[in-house]
Amino acid sequence: MRNIRLILAYDGTRYRGWQRLAGADNTIQGKLEQTISRLLAEPVQVHGSGRTDAGVHALGQVANFHCQSAMPCPQILAGLGQYLPEDIGVLSCQEVHPRFHARLNALSKTYLYRVWNSTEPCVFQRRYVYRMPEALDTAAMEQAAAHLLGKHDFRAFSTGKSGKKSTLRTIYRLEIFREGPEVRFLVQGDGFLYNMVRIMVGTLLEAGLGRKQDIPEIFAAGRREAAGYTVPASGLFLQEVTYP
Amino acid sequence: MRNIRLILAYDGTRYRGWQRLAGADNTIQGKLEQTISRLLAEPVQVHGSGRTDAGVHALGQVANFHCQSAMPCPQILAGLGQYLPEDIGVLSCQEVHPRFHARLNALSKTYLYRVWNSTEPCVFQRRYVYRMPEALDTAAMEQAAAHLLGKHDFRAFSTGKSGKKSTLRTIYRLEIFREGPEVRFLVQGDGFLYNMVRIMVGTLLEAGLGRKQDIPEIFAAGRREAAGYTVPASGLFLQEVTYP
């Protein structure tokens, strides 16, 4: 069996997220499996580095699948370019070690969140940003962001059921920068709980609006209500996944 | 009567073009007139610098309308931002001389045409480019473009009925530049015939693909069939209109 790794970009607007749903045609994973299976004339299962939610985009999602087919990678790339819908693009296609697994081997993920922080209209970017025209205090956001760095129990920054699984995660990098009318958040970590990036950004935006956000207190409380709101999916991009 | 000038950006994808059509809701002019009339509580007629066709976008369309309303311009701007659909944006709103007319006073128009000249997917730009992955000979395109500059009878570069109206137009500027995976065409002229920019770009692209395009011969022939094909609307943007 060959093991093929794909790097993917997609516009999540019209999809119900990454994960295949029985009977639903509009998931990224489902669309990929359908298209690859048809191209290679054999059933394949695609493993993503993680799920992205409904409406979330990707600039560099990583996935892999096993196949018997001998079709060369450049031909798979061209075939997928031809048969996938225009809102899913394959940036690279390479044969990798048989034991490579996009989810299990991931070392870190980087997410980008785009806020349109201007009263100007954003006609051409409207599907890819969250519009918030109010003035944001960048210094206050950076101060709060510093407390999110490092290893913490991010239970309060998740809407997942708590269960028994660990909610400890490590944030390696959290940068906030202005680019023209946008404020962008770049977050790298060893993994993210359900809705974690969107709640982190919502909490930082509240700090930027002048509502005091005491991050250590939120960690200590460990309750979802202690943190800020969940920002919309439209501004969120899975930018990069790293591997050993 | 006050005279108000608007500068507009719009995503033309879901519209049947600029010009109001009886019974149709999906034109830019129709949508503007409807929204402004409701906002000012009086019927208004909006004059654009010119029509853009179905699917064509604008970065800086100029329009004007007369009204009795005393509503201050910043309030009109904010109201339109609130009530117009997200794919039509008002960049500026100013009161101007009563005799200003967006179409009659226009001195020049600049159009941008974006070609995605790469085999890479263009997931997020797909509505705003024309995809042509084949290698383009920029020198050949520039050589052909030089012949389009200046005052010519552009009859061959139009699909309009010839009629009695003059088909003489002057091209002031025609630049071709590469920006990452894109080749961009920037054309400024004193006016453009129906489909003229799209046929000019189609003719230049054919030159870039190695099919000889003898521009002086096309002018001399004066027949539509002598020029290149009409490129799709998706890549075309009305970028700027200048006035005295």
Side-chain angles (χ1 to χ4, degrees), chain B residues 115 117 132 134-138 141 178 183 185 204-205 208-209:
Chain B
V115 175
N117 186 227
M132 176 184 269
E134 292 84 3
L136 290 170
D137 177 344
T138 314
M141 293 196 290
R178 182 167 277 281
V183 171
F185 298 81
L204 295 177
L205 285 175
L209 290 171

Side-chain angles (χ1 to χ4, degrees), chain B residues 91-142:
Chain B
L91 304 175
S92 112
C93 172
Q94 278 196 304
E95 187 160 352
V96 289
H97 189 280
R99 287 214 301 269
F100 171 82
H101 189 288
R103 180 168 54 82
L104 300 176
N105 299 158
L107 281 186
S108 82
K109 284 183 194 158
T110 304
Y111 281 93
L112 168 69
Y113 196 88
R114 294 174 58 184
V115 175
W116 187 267
N117 186 227
S118 168
T119 54
E120 273 174 53
C122 63
V123 167
F124 301 100
Q125 299 299 322
R126 64 190 188 282
R127 291 182 187 84
Y128 310 124
V129 296
Y130 166 43
R131 297 179 68 164
M132 176 184 269
E134 292 84 3
L136 290 170
D137 177 344
T138 314
M141 293 196 290
E142 279 171 348

